[in-house]
Amino acid sequence: MNQQTRIDIRHSTCPHDCPSACALDVEVIDGSLIGRVRGSKLQTYTAGVVCAKVARYAERIHHPERLTHPLRRTGPKGSGRFARISWDEALDEIADRFNAAEREFGAQSVWPYYYAGTMGLVMRDGINRLAHVKKYSRYYSTICANVARVGFAIGTGKIAGVDPREMGVSDLIVIWGTNPVNTQVNVMTHAMRARKERGAKIAAIDIYNNDTMKQADIKIILRPGTDGAFACGVMHVLFREGYADRDYLARYTDCPGELEAHLETRTPEWASSICGVPVTEIEAFARAVGQTKRSFFRLGYGFTRSRNGAAQMHAALCIPAVTGAWQYEGGGAFFNNYAIWKFNESLIEGHDAIDHSTRVLDQSKIGRILTGDPEALHNGPPVKAMLIQNTNPMTVAPEQALVRQGFAREDLFMAVHEQFMTETAAMADIVLPATMFMEHDDLYYGGGHQHISVGARLIEPPGECRSNHEVLQGLGRRLNAVHPAFDMTARELIDATLKKSGHGDIATLEAELWRDLQPDFRTSHYLDGFAHADGKFHFKADWANPPFGIKGMGPWQQMPSLPDHWTIIEEADAAHPFRLATSPSRSFLNTSFNETPSSIAREGAPSVMIHPQDAAALGISDGDAVTLGNTRGETTLIAKLFDGLRRGVLIAESIQPNKAHVGGRGINMLTGAEAVAPIGGAAFHDNKVWVKKAAPATARKS
């Protein structure tokens, strides 16, 4: 850089689908370029640390392959043949096609579809306003957090827990069902602080020896989907050996006597036979928890990926209630702080326009919906037109064989608003270029912490990129979608939402940078009672009446009311002798960052971890191409021999593009979309598969 270069440090918040929602210090170069991105030391949860993906954000925001102009498809679907058009042409065509679908098949034949490519409230959730005002099919979000959220809230009464910064003053941090080195690095910041300053121990409970477990003092490797059995074995020991805090149990929990009686047969031996963890390790972990009052359970999103995940989350959550760890600073549990924000999104989402007779379609069942499954369509009209923002279902959605079939329909009109030519955008009729978070204004909260913030526009977007909100405004005018929010700027929407939510105005929040909303100690630790009507922590789960979501989904009647191992998981069998989990990688975030060179270089080709003894039995060597399959489909990856998992378990980290796989079939060819009890979800880590050595081949180049 020459001497005339001006570098300003501006502040923002990472918008990507991660609980950390890191506070950022961003170098803005000459008012037009992004330089280095650092975690801000001014915010106490981020504490100056940010993941490597976002630290290299300049590589993404200034990527030469960003979409910068609207495009119309000129070749067959998926051919990648597009021609540049104007914004007016693009929006006019989308509106015309939506109106045509509505005239012929009714308004519910149009389905706006989105997810968490940005976690900003305006840019993520505004698409619901269009659906509500136009009476299009509504949208039920099931692909990520439902299962774990309901498992936590069924115990505590709401989704909120101990201040996550209290990990730093804990004596034992139990990281369970999450790999924060890969997915939320700030968890490790506070856990490592406790180790350094207090001599605290870190325990990691997961299904393979991942990067978090490699830093842990206590390592517990489970078979997938058996956390409930492990938790019950631990609680059996806590009661048997006198570590249960009976005074706490009597005051704060609903049925401790019934729980203790139930656990009498859930011995460590019983648990070990299910979860694969040796009895000695179960007992040692139980004693470590029982002897450490300040035990902090950091529970993660891994629970949400199994058919029995809600019951597993609840079982794990019961342990600190048995020991009374909630009473102590640095003790208790945390999953997410959803309940503390209290954002009123009525303007953003157009709540006043909701017609509750309009059907709600399940996000995870997109393959079934687009291929005309009557049940998935609620016996209503076919989906004939879509607007997709913030998600890439051609790669991330389950039941990929059906997804591909649905997206290939010639009678399906699809507009995709994207930053890159994703595999979903490549199937679109109209592609619209989207801004990134430093190029628009938005409002953020940190699911993994307690701060809210405004992320302001820092630079101008390239080419003709427009924000999600601007696209919705343009479509709203053309579709005669009348609502005050369509006439407001993003900043005006943020300001109005903050005021409606009791959080003041935008100028005040911007001046504060990041506002800490953490409730006081007694509230966070539920010392004045839990959030159920009776003020108790519930060992006995009322799965028939979850505190949120669409109840009655999946086989909820089979769910155990007390903590237990629920056998609903897709168990291996003779035809499918392996259990597969598709765990998150370090350098990709779902399919975000899989276009940046540094992330591609670190992750390499799509691969699957297999135990050396399993590989030997199949004649598979390290580096061989192997095909995995089940009744849903097949995919081919590179074998990596790895002894840090239980035999019969396979781990495929990350969601690589389909085109990166041999044969062009990605990992979600193998995943199902059956609704997970009790409020829906998708069980991405819960698949039985067979494995065989594949013929040598080369993956298609991107």
Side-chain angles (χ1 to χ4, degrees), residues 583-636:
S583 303
S585 69
R586 192 165 185 171
S587 295
F588 298 152
L589 202 174
N590 301 320
T591 61
S592 294
F593 299 96
N594 65 16
E595 68 287 317
T596 53
S598 59
S599 291
I600 294 169
R602 189 187 188 284
E603 293 302 324
S607 62
V608 61
M609 301 177 201
I610 182 170
H611 195 283
Q613 291 176 274
D614 288 331
L618 294 169
I620 292 169
S621 300
D622 194 69
D624 283 347
V626 294
T627 299
L628 280 57
N630 56 24
T631 57
R632 303 179 189 104
E634 298 180 7
T635 186
T636 300

Side-chain angles (χ1 to χ4, degrees), residues 175 199 263 305 422 505 548 674 685:
I175 299 171
L263 292 171
R305 318 290 188 223
T422 64
D505 60 19
F548 49 80
E674 300 84 5
H685 295 182

Side-chain angles (χ1 to χ4, degrees), residues 97-98 101-102 106-112 136-137 382-386:
R97 296 295 295 269
F98 280 18
E102 181 175 353
Q108 294 182 79
S109 67
V110 181
W111 189 26
Y136 295 152
S137 285
V383 169
K384 303 292 285 188
M386 298 180 72

Side-chain angles (χ1 to χ4, degrees), residues 257-462:
E258 190 174 347
L259 174 68
E260 184 174 8
H262 165 74
L263 292 171
E264 285 181 3
T265 58
R266 272 62 175 177
T267 63
E269 290 76 14
W270 168 87
S272 178
S273 70
I274 296 168
C275 69
V277 180
V279 169
T280 54
E281 292 184 21
I282 296 172
E283 292 179 334
F285 176 78
R287 290 171 189 138
V289 170
Q291 293 166 5
T292 310
K293 299 297 186 184
R294 296 174 184 256
S295 292
F296 190 110
F297 282 70
R298 183 59 175 86
L299 305 174
Y301 287 81
F303 293 99
T304 213
R305 318 290 188 223
S306 295
R307 287 170 177 79
N308 61 2
Q312 293 185 106
M313 168 64 92
H314 176 244
L317 180 65
C318 288
I319 295 174
V322 170
T323 65
W326 288 96
Q327 300 168 90
Y328 307 101
E329 186 182 22
F334 180 83
F335 163 64
N336 183 286
N337 252 335
Y338 179 81
I340 77 170
W341 312 122
K342 298 181 173 61
F343 278 122
N344 181 334
E345 290 193 63
S346 57
L347 261 178
I348 292 173
E349 296 195 339
H351 291 170
D352 57 325
I354 295 175
D355 179 348
H356 291 282
S357 69
T358 303
R359 69 181 175 185
V360 180
L361 298 181
D362 186 336
Q363 170 195 22
S364 297
K365 289 183 165 50
I366 184 172
R368 302 182 189 192
I369 287 164
L370 295 185
T371 52
D373 183 298
E375 182 181 359
L377 287 164
H378 299 284
N379 296 307
V383 169
K384 303 292 285 188
M386 298 180 72
L387 169 65
I388 297 178
Q389 292 183 323
N390 307 330
T391 188
N392 183 15
M394 272 291 292
T395 309
V396 305
E399 296 183 337
Q400 278 284 303
L402 291 177
V403 174
R404 289 176 174 214
Q405 183 182 336
F407 272 80
R409 281 172 38 204
E410 288 298 331
D411 67 329
L412 173 67
F413 173 79
M414 185 170 58
V416 174
H417 187 202
E418 254 296 356
Q419 298 161 346
F420 294 93
M421 186 60 74
T422 64
E423 290 174 313
T424 300
M427 296 297 291
D429 299 284
I430 298 290
V431 177
L432 306 173
T435 51
M436 293 189 185
F437 76 101
M438 299 178 196
E439 299 162 350
H440 58 240
D441 300 304
D442 215 337
L443 175 62
Y444 302 102
Y445 63 86
H449 53 84
Q450 54 279 93
H451 296 87
I452 63 172
S453 61
V454 174
R457 178 174 177 154
L458 304 183
I459 61 172
E460 292 296 312

Side-chain angles (χ1 to χ4, degrees), residues 32 47 56 92 316 324 326 426 634 643 660:
S32 61
R56 300 189 300 263
D92 287 347
W326 288 96
E634 298 180 7
D643 63 2

Side-chain angles (χ1 to χ4, degrees), residues 211-287:
D211 287 345
T212 299
M213 193 170 287
K214 289 170 184 173
Q215 298 192 36
D217 305 289
I218 301 170
K219 307 168 193 271
I220 303 292
I221 299 178
L222 308 167
R223 295 188 182 114
T226 63
D227 307 68
F230 176 77
C232 287
V234 169
M235 288 188 286
H236 174 98
V237 175
L238 293 172
F239 277 107
R240 183 186 72 194
E241 299 190 5
Y243 294 118
D245 186 331
R246 296 188 181 277
D247 290 340
Y248 181 87
L249 287 165
R251 181 177 177 185
Y252 285 102
T253 70
D254 61 343
C255 59
E258 190 174 347
L259 174 68
E260 184 174 8
H262 165 74
L263 292 171
E264 285 181 3
T265 58
R266 272 62 175 177
T267 63
E269 290 76 14
W270 168 87
S272 178
S273 70
I274 296 168
C275 69
V277 180
V279 169
T280 54
E281 292 184 21
I282 296 172
E283 292 179 334
F285 176 78
R287 290 171 189 138

Side-chain angles (χ1 to χ4, degrees), residues 65 119 166 170 227 248 261 382 408 423 428 575:
E65 294 177 11
M119 296 292 283
E166 285 188 33
S170 178
D227 307 68
Y248 181 87
E423 290 174 313

